[in-house]
Amino acid sequence: MDLEIEVIEESDKSKIVLSGEVDAYTAPKLKETLLPLTKGAGHIVEVNLEQVNYMDSTGLGVFISALKSTKENDSQLKLVDLQDRVFRLFQITGLIEIMDIKAAIRGGSE
């Protein structure tokens, strides 16, 4: 499956809406889009993962690179609306402790 990436620009924020799978095949495309957006000081990059049903370690690596870039450039990265399966990856790897992540609200819990 492929990955569709939609970027919505706002004044101080970029919203990225992903749809599909983030794996070794699609991660370079995501990295190419995401990392430049993290280089603006004070800029917020919000990534909506509601339509991402699979992610492997390559995808996690892209988000770790983006987080590192935000720290270096004084910007922010937020991951929102993660499906349970993808959210568990961030939980298992401990990335939920260092990243701003809001899981999908399914059944009323966040």
Side-chain angles (χ1 to χ4, degrees), residues 15-27:
K15 289 183 179 179
I16 300 176
V17 180
L18 302 178
S19 179
E21 297 180 353
V22 182
D23 56 18
Y25 177 72
T26 61

Side-chain angles (χ1 to χ4, degrees), residues 1-7 16-23 26 29-30 47-54 63 83:
M1 187 169 185
D2 201 9
L3 178 67
E4 292 181 28
I5 303 172
E6 179 184 2
V7 178
I16 300 176
V17 180
L18 302 178
S19 179
E21 297 180 353
V22 182
D23 56 18
T26 61
K29 179 179 172 184
L30 173 60
V47 183
N48 184 309
L49 294 153
E50 186 173 8
Q51 299 300 317
V52 173
N53 52 24
Y54 175 80
F63 289 110
Q83 291 190 15

Side-chain angles (χ1 to χ4, degrees), residues 56-92:
D56 69 7
S57 60
T58 313
L60 290 175
V62 170
F63 289 110
I64 291 169
S65 295
L67 178 65
K68 182 178 176 189
S69 178
T70 62
K71 302 291 183 199
E72 292 170 354
N73 295 291
D74 195 28
S75 57
Q76 293 180 32
L77 176 67
K78 296 180 178 187
L79 306 182
V80 300
D81 294 341
L82 285 72
Q83 291 190 15
D84 291 342
R85 185 177 177 176
V86 174
F87 182 74
R88 269 186 263 133
L89 276 176
F90 285 91
Q91 245 179 343
I92 291 167

Side-chain angles (χ1 to χ4, degrees), residues 36-48:
L37 297 174
T38 62
K39 301 209 182 279
H43 196 72
I44 299 170
V45 180
E46 181 180 286
V47 183
N48 184 309

